[in-house]
Amino acid sequence: MTAFAFVACEKAGEDGGNKELRLTVDCSDLVADGVDKVTFTVKYGEEDVTAFAEIRDAATGEVLSGSEFSTDTVGSYEFVASYDGKKSNKVSVRAEAGAGLILLADRESIVCDGREAVTFTVMLDGDDVTKQASISDAATGEVLDGNEFATDVIGSYKFVASYNGQESNKVAVEVIAVSGELVLSVDKESIMNDGRDRATFTVTFEGQDVTVLATIVNQTSGETWDRGVHSFASYLSDEYEFKASYQGLQSNTVKVVVTREEANPLVIMATRPRIAADGSDATSFKVTYEGGDVTDAAKIKNLATGEYLESNSFSYSGDLQVVAFEAEYNGVVSEPVHVGFGDFYKNVLLYRFTATWCGPCSAFMSVLKVALGVYPDRLVEVAIHQSDMYTSNDNPLFLQYFSVPAIPAVFFDFDKKNQQDPSVMSVTDVVNIIKEYQATGAKVGIAMSSTVDADRNVTVSVRVTPSEAGMYRLGVILLEDGIEGAQSGTSRFIHDNTMRALATSLGGDSLGEVAENTEVVKEYTFSLEGYTDNCRVVAYVNTADGDVYATTNAASCPVNGRTDYRFETAAE
């Protein structure tokens, strides 16, 4: 049985007016076999300007090479001509399948929603061989699983069928953007800047949840999230704007405000945080509310007994190592403050020299993490980066003092004569070294408070009280936590304890001779420009023997937060 294809031709687009640019074609239909062709004519008024005009596909903009057109792809085509700055009418041409193996499609376009599909049929000499034939993407060669095609990617696609060694004509399918309203919504319009509080987004299209298929862009930072990612947390207080995209559509803009936790306006402080437990040595308390003195109007509770003090002074005789107090005023309860009678709590200061390109550094960080899980709450860590994007301007001071020959390297309590090689340290080694330095005890206690103003400037107040009279030096460093970045082949490593700035001299600013149980207060400022709000201030107190320092204690305080004096207890 032989099949013939007949194409009816008629003159299309007759000349239409004086000095109009007119495009006509000798036949409005052709066989999609790559051989059959149609011929265009372009007239400017009565003048034939075909040889000088430009004829192009109106949909793709592709310019014809001459005045003829042929194709092997079934479909409808529109053409337009231009000449001397003028543009012609459009002319349509339909390419139909010819004889032999014929691929047909039930539609020429679909929307890119991943659901709407085009259905193909394969015919051979009048017989349907769709189930036996193979249909593939003519560009990629990817074979369809069945005879339907759907996608969520906008573009022009061509398909071809094969059967018993024969190849069909090509069929074009245009995948276009969906129409309708894309809506982005969020469950929280305000979150805290703690990196844990999260705003979760939902993307809907015509009432249907398409969140997992949509892409969300943080327009404030310029970051485009991976498709399906739809929650947001931040350490940086600011106002952020977000938009979603899906199938070529853009959503509305949604705002999320990241705020700082407001500091407790009611503050209680002990004028002498450490006293003798002899019943006569005493401390007094001062209570402020939003900076104003409200001591006389406030109530002060002894949290050990649950009783309120009759005045703002306190003395003690007994076996306790520390007693906590809180103030109450105007319905607000302060954070507790501690008065101790024995030794201050000893923290060990660790300087860890590291770099993002250092493989052994990564290995030691894993060891250190386990060690701190085994023996927690005794280490104040400072990570000093070398020759990478996190290197501080103060880095040379540390390298020179500790004479660091290579990294990784670690030093405890400013002891530069006892450098440890992290590449050979085990978890047990780390724990034992921390215990060794902890056993030296703390000669001073440290308390801190810090505030952040609207310009993101941090003001930190550091209070130092010795349990042993002596000459002391105070050092203050700004650290940043939660920095996501590279680390020795890993792209999403979280860097903590990263040194950003040093507010004092390396060994610390001199506090002079300080008597036992006498508090010294110093104030420093840092700028958070270029950093997140996820920063901390570390204070350390050194003794000095010439230009050699030894750390007697260290403490850490979050920006916009407080850290009180701590004392050793029997449990610790």
Side-chain angles (χ1 to χ4, degrees):
M1 177 178 177
T2 304
F4 297 91
F6 297 93
V7 178
C9 297
E10 60 183 291
K11 191 74 171 179
E14 295 293 341
D15 186 13
N18 188 34
K19 286 303 185 181
E20 271 191 321
L21 191 65
R22 192 74 176 166
L23 176 66
T24 60
V25 66
D26 65 343
C27 189
S28 59
D29 299 283
L30 77 160
V31 178
D33 58 5
V35 177
D36 193 18
K37 61 187 177 182
V38 296
T39 302
F40 295 97
T41 301
V42 185
K43 286 191 174 183
Y44 185 47
E46 296 298 326
E47 180 184 2
D48 189 331
V49 294
T50 306
F52 310 104
E54 187 178 76
I55 305 169
R56 67 176 65 237
D57 186 313
T60 67
E62 184 178 357
V63 179
L64 298 186
S65 177
S67 60
E68 294 180 337
F69 170 71
S70 63
T71 183
D72 60 359
T73 304
V74 172
S76 296
Y77 299 83
E78 276 193 328
F79 296 88
V80 65
S82 58
Y83 168 74
D84 197 25
K86 297 185 180 296
K87 190 174 181 180
S88 76
N89 55 298
K90 291 181 180 179
V91 168
S92 298
V93 175
R94 174 71 189 175
E96 299 284 2
L101 192 66
I102 300 174
L103 177 63
L104 304 171
D106 66 342
R107 62 188 71 188
E108 295 181 353
S109 66
I110 56 174
V111 295
C112 60
D113 61 1
R115 300 186 302 274
E116 186 176 5
V118 57
T119 302
F120 296 101
T121 303
V122 186
M123 304 293 295
L124 177 63
D125 298 334
D127 296 326
D128 189 333
V129 294
T130 306
K131 292 183 178 180
Q132 296 81 27
S134 173
I135 305 170
S136 60
D137 186 312
T140 66
E142 184 178 356
V143 178
L144 298 186
D145 182 15
N147 67 324
E148 292 186 338
F149 170 71
T151 182
D152 58 3
V153 181
I154 296 172
S156 298
Y157 297 80
K158 288 185 179 181
F159 296 88
V160 63
S162 57
Y163 173 72
N164 277 350
Q166 297 186 54
E167 188 172 282
S168 75
N169 56 290
K170 293 177 182 176
V171 170
V173 176
E174 194 72 22
V175 180
I176 60 177
V178 294
S179 60
E181 185 179 12
L182 189 67
V183 178
L184 177 64
S185 58
V186 67
D187 64 339
K188 296 180 182 178
E189 295 181 350
S190 178
I191 58 175
M192 299 304 302
N193 65 336
D194 59 6
R196 299 184 302 275
D197 195 12
R198 288 189 170 273
T200 301
F201 297 91
T202 301
V203 186
T204 57
F205 173 67
E206 295 186 341
Q208 182 175 356
D209 190 333
V210 295
T211 306
V212 297
L213 300 174
T215 299
I216 298 174
V217 177
N218 181 335
Q219 294 190 299
T220 303
S221 68
E223 179 186 8
T224 300
W225 297 351
D226 293 338
R227 187 161 67 170
V229 175
H230 60 284
S231 66
F232 172 67
S234 179
Y235 292 112
L236 181 59
S237 54
D238 203 347
E239 184 176 285
Y240 296 84
E241 292 188 346
F242 299 86
K243 269 193 173 183
S245 62
Y246 168 71
Q247 310 303 346
L249 296 177
Q250 296 291 318
S251 76
N252 54 299
T253 299
V254 167
K255 293 183 179 180
V256 176
V257 179
V258 180
T259 61
R260 299 186 191 94
E261 184 176 2
E262 293 296 330
N264 192 329
L266 187 64
V267 177
I268 180 173
M269 295 177 62
T271 57
R272 298 180 67 218
R274 182 179 181 273
I275 58 175
D278 58 8
S280 60
D281 197 13
T283 186
S284 61
F285 297 98
K286 181 179 180 180
V287 183
T288 60
Y289 182 77
E290 295 182 344
D293 191 335
V294 294
T295 305
D296 292 341
K299 296 169 64 178
I300 301 172
K301 179 188 285 189
N302 181 328
L303 296 182
T305 64
E307 298 176 351
Y308 292 94
L309 301 186
E310 294 182 359
S311 67
N312 70 325
S313 66
F314 171 76
S315 60
Y316 178 75
S317 62
D319 298 327
L320 294 177
Q321 299 295 310
V322 61
V323 175
F325 298 84
E326 65 183 19
E328 300 174 7
Y329 172 76
N330 200 27
V332 179
V333 179
S334 72
E335 295 179 21
V337 67
H338 299 84
V339 176
F341 321 108
D343 296 328
F344 285 110
Y345 189 90
K346 164 64 177 174
N347 283 317
V348 177
L349 179 64
L350 168 67
Y351 283 120
R352 176 171 60 85
F353 290 85
T354 185
T356 59
W357 44 266
C358 172
C361 297
S362 302
F364 176 69
M365 281 185 272
S366 299
V367 172
L368 182 60
K369 181 178 181 180
V370 175
L372 296 184
V374 172
Y375 196 66
D377 199 27
R378 282 292 181 178
L379 197 72
V380 175
E381 180 186 356
V382 178
I384 303 174
H385 281 255
Q386 183 173 348
S387 302
D388 64 24
M389 67 182 68
Y390 307 125
T391 301
S392 165
N393 291 334
D394 298 307
N395 183 53
L397 296 175
F398 291 87
L399 292 176
Q400 181 179 359
Y401 177 81
F402 288 102
S403 301
V404 178
I407 61 170
V410 294
F411 297 87
F412 294 85
D413 276 355
F414 255 90
D415 189 353
K416 67 178 181 178
K417 295 181 180 180
N418 191 18
Q419 177 184 342
Q420 304 294 324
D421 182 0
S423 65
V424 298
M425 292 178 73
S426 67
V427 170
T428 301
D429 292 335
V430 174
V431 171
N432 287 340
I433 292 173
I434 294 173
K435 289 182 177 180
E436 176 186 341
Y437 283 92
Q438 176 197 335
T440 63
K443 297 179 180 179
V444 302
I446 304 172
M448 289 186 282
S449 62
S450 72
T451 57
V452 184
D453 65 20
D455 295 323
R456 305 189 70 239
N457 294 312
V458 178
T459 300
V460 56
S461 176
V462 184
R463 296 152 55 206
V464 176
T465 298
S467 57
E468 179 182 314
M471 298 284 292
Y472 296 102
R473 306 180 71 89
L474 173 63
V476 180
I477 301 176
L478 180 70
L479 307 184
E480 184 175 5
D481 293 323
I483 308 171
E484 183 178 306
Q487 178 61 48
S488 186
T490 302
S491 61
R492 305 194 72 174
F493 188 87
I494 302 300
H495 295 275
D496 292 324
N497 309 300
T498 303
M499 185 184 73
R500 290 305 199 181
L502 179 64
T504 61
S505 60
L506 175 67
D509 294 344
S510 176
L511 299 180
E513 180 77 29
V514 186
E516 178 185 355
N517 294 343
T518 301
E519 186 176 69
V520 179
V521 181
K522 295 291 183 179
E523 189 171 281
Y524 301 91
T525 60
F526 294 99
S527 172
L528 291 183
E529 184 178 356
Y531 312 136
T532 69
D533 294 339
N534 195 24
C535 289
R536 290 181 292 116
V537 178
V538 165
Y540 54 90
V541 176
N542 285 343
T543 57
D545 182 4
D547 60 355
V548 177
Y549 307 109
T551 302
T552 185
N553 210 356
S556 173
C557 175
V559 298
N560 214 40
R562 304 178 65 84
T563 296
D564 194 22
Y565 288 103
R566 295 181 66 182
F567 294 85
E568 299 284 2
T569 66
E572 295 169 328

